[in-house]
Amino acid sequence: LYLSLSVGFAQEKVDFTTHPFFKLLVGEWKSEGSLEGRDGNTIKMNEEWRGSVSPEGCFLMKGSRTLNADKQEYLWTISFNPSTGLFEAIHEITSSGGETKRFEASVSEVDLTMELRMNGDGSGSIVVKDSFPKKHHNTLASDVILTDSSGMTTLSGTITHERVQPSTSE
């Protein structure tokens, strides 16, 4: 009994500053890419964001993006829920009226990937798959897929994030 309690307790908190995946996201990033719509429309995206660990122990990705001509300020807050053993992410648009979406996050410490999944209330889903395609970890690729309530893809594409000041390690 004592062993299972201590193992459970060890998972109470995640230290994002030493976590194999999240520590790679700390710093300044610039991003660009486009999402292609089923109806032929294209949304061009540019972002600037900063990854950091909050005093409360959450991982934050705060920045601004331009979707075509629409500018948005946003904040991702990623936390670990010890009762479920899962990562949870909240995406808030902090400008123009705001909007909040909740995602479940699956993180692989081995593959250094994160999958964010938001299942809407029958209205569709959003899936973002983040990975580091290069060994130096200064490039992050986000594959984005939005689907409608019938499961049809409405928008998809890849956003490429480049570290502003590349890490010299590795």
Side-chain angles (χ1 to χ4, degrees), residues 20-128:
F21 179 78
F22 290 103
K23 71 180 183 182
L24 298 173
L25 296 179
V26 171
E28 302 281 337
W29 295 82
K30 286 191 178 212
S31 318
E32 65 179 41
S34 59
L35 302 176
E36 303 294 325
R38 168 172 78 202
D39 55 5
N41 66 325
T42 298
I43 297 174
K44 294 212 176 294
M45 182 184 225
N46 290 298
E47 292 182 324
E48 291 185 14
W49 57 275
R50 177 177 186 73
S52 64
V53 179
S54 73
E56 299 80 28
C58 294
F59 193 83
L60 305 177
M61 296 163 65
K62 183 176 183 159
S64 61
R65 71 169 63 103
T66 305
L67 301 167
N68 290 339
D70 182 30
K71 286 187 179 281
Q72 299 177 340
E73 302 290 320
Y74 65 90
L75 174 65
W76 282 97
T77 303
I78 302 171
S79 59
F80 181 75
N81 183 335
S83 64
T84 62
L86 300 172
F87 289 94
E88 298 173 351
I90 297 173
H91 178 265
E92 298 173 84
I93 296 174
T94 55
S95 60
S96 63
E99 178 182 49
T100 301
K101 289 183 168 47
R102 295 183 182 282
F103 291 76
E104 287 183 0
S106 304
V107 179
S108 169
E109 296 180 16
V110 175
D111 297 328
L112 299 177
T113 59
M114 177 169 61
E115 180 175 303
L116 296 161
R117 180 175 294 273
M118 189 223 64
N119 293 315
D121 48 6
S123 60
S125 68
I126 301 172
V127 177
V128 180

